[in-house]
Amino acid sequence: MSRILIIEDEADIADLEKDYLERGGFEAEICNAGDEGMKRALNEDFDLVILDLMLPGKDGFEVCKGIREAKDVPILIVSARKDDIDKVEGLGLGADDYLTKPFSPSEMVARVKAHLARYTRLTSTESHKNDSDIIELRGIQIDKPARRVFVDGEEKIFTTKEFDLLTFLAENPNHVYTKDELFREIWGMESIGDIATVTVHIKKIREKLGDDSATPRFIETIWGVGYRFKI
Ligand code: CA
C-alpha cells in the first residue's frame, strides 16, 4: 500500500486529506510542522508528499527544496495563495503538482493516483516494460528518438499527441488505463480539454496501425474502463 505524508499545520485540512486518501486506499500520516515533516520525508519511505507552504518550523519552500535535493518522491504542493504557488514554480523547487485551497478532496486523490502511477512506471523494473529506444511488436516499429512509426515496414505519419499516446501505451503493455489517466498523462494536468479527445486519438492511431477495435492486434478497448496495449 502506498504511504503518503501530509505536511500540514491546519488540523481540519490535514484530517480531510487523510480521510480521503485512506478512502482512496492509501496509508496517510500527518505531520504538522515543516522541520519535522522534512525529517520524516527524508528518513522514512513515503511514496508521495503533500506539502502545505505556510508551516511552522520550516516553510514549505525550504521543505520542498530539501526533500527534492535528496529524493525523487513526488511532491504535491497545496496552498491557499496562488502567489505562493507561482513562486514555488518560479523558483524551480522541484514540486510535481500544485493545488490551490480550497480544493476538491476527490481531485486531490485523483492527482495523487496519477502521480503515483507515473512514478511507479518511472522506477519500475518490470520485465515486460518496453523502455528501449525502438519498440518492435507484431509488425510495428516505434522509433522513439526519431519519433517515427513504421507499420509493416511502411512509415505512417503520427501527430505529436498520437505518437505520445501510442508510445505510452506500447511502453506499458498489459496495463489498462482509463481515458482520464491517458488524458492526464499525455495532455497534462493543467490542460483544459475533454477526455473525449482520447477516444478520437485512439481511433486515429488504430486507423494508422490498420488495427480493428473488434479484433484488435494492438489496442484493446476494455469496455467501461479504458484501453490496454496487448502484450
Ligand atoms: Ca499552513
Side-chain angles (χ1 to χ4, degrees), residues 8-10 52-55 101:
E8 169 66 70
D9 60 327
E10 284 169 71
D52 179 32
L53 288 177
M54 293 303 116
L55 290 165
K101 293 176 192 170

Side-chain angles (χ1 to χ4, degrees), residues 107-120:
E107 170 66 12
M108 177 203 67
V109 172
R111 292 203 190 188
V112 165
K113 282 184 180 164
H115 282 288
L116 287 174
R118 181 179 310 189
Y119 184 67
T120 307

Side-chain angles (χ1 to χ4, degrees), residues 40 58 61 127 133 196 200:
R40 291 197 60 187
K58 229 185 217 351
F61 298 93
S127 58
D133 281 352
V200 175

Side-chain angles (χ1 to χ4, degrees), residues 18-34:
K18 182 173 158 67
D19 194 38
Y20 270 82
L21 287 167
E22 285 176 350
R23 277 194 257 165
F26 301 106
E27 208 176 291
E29 291 180 39
I30 297 170
C31 196
N32 57 19

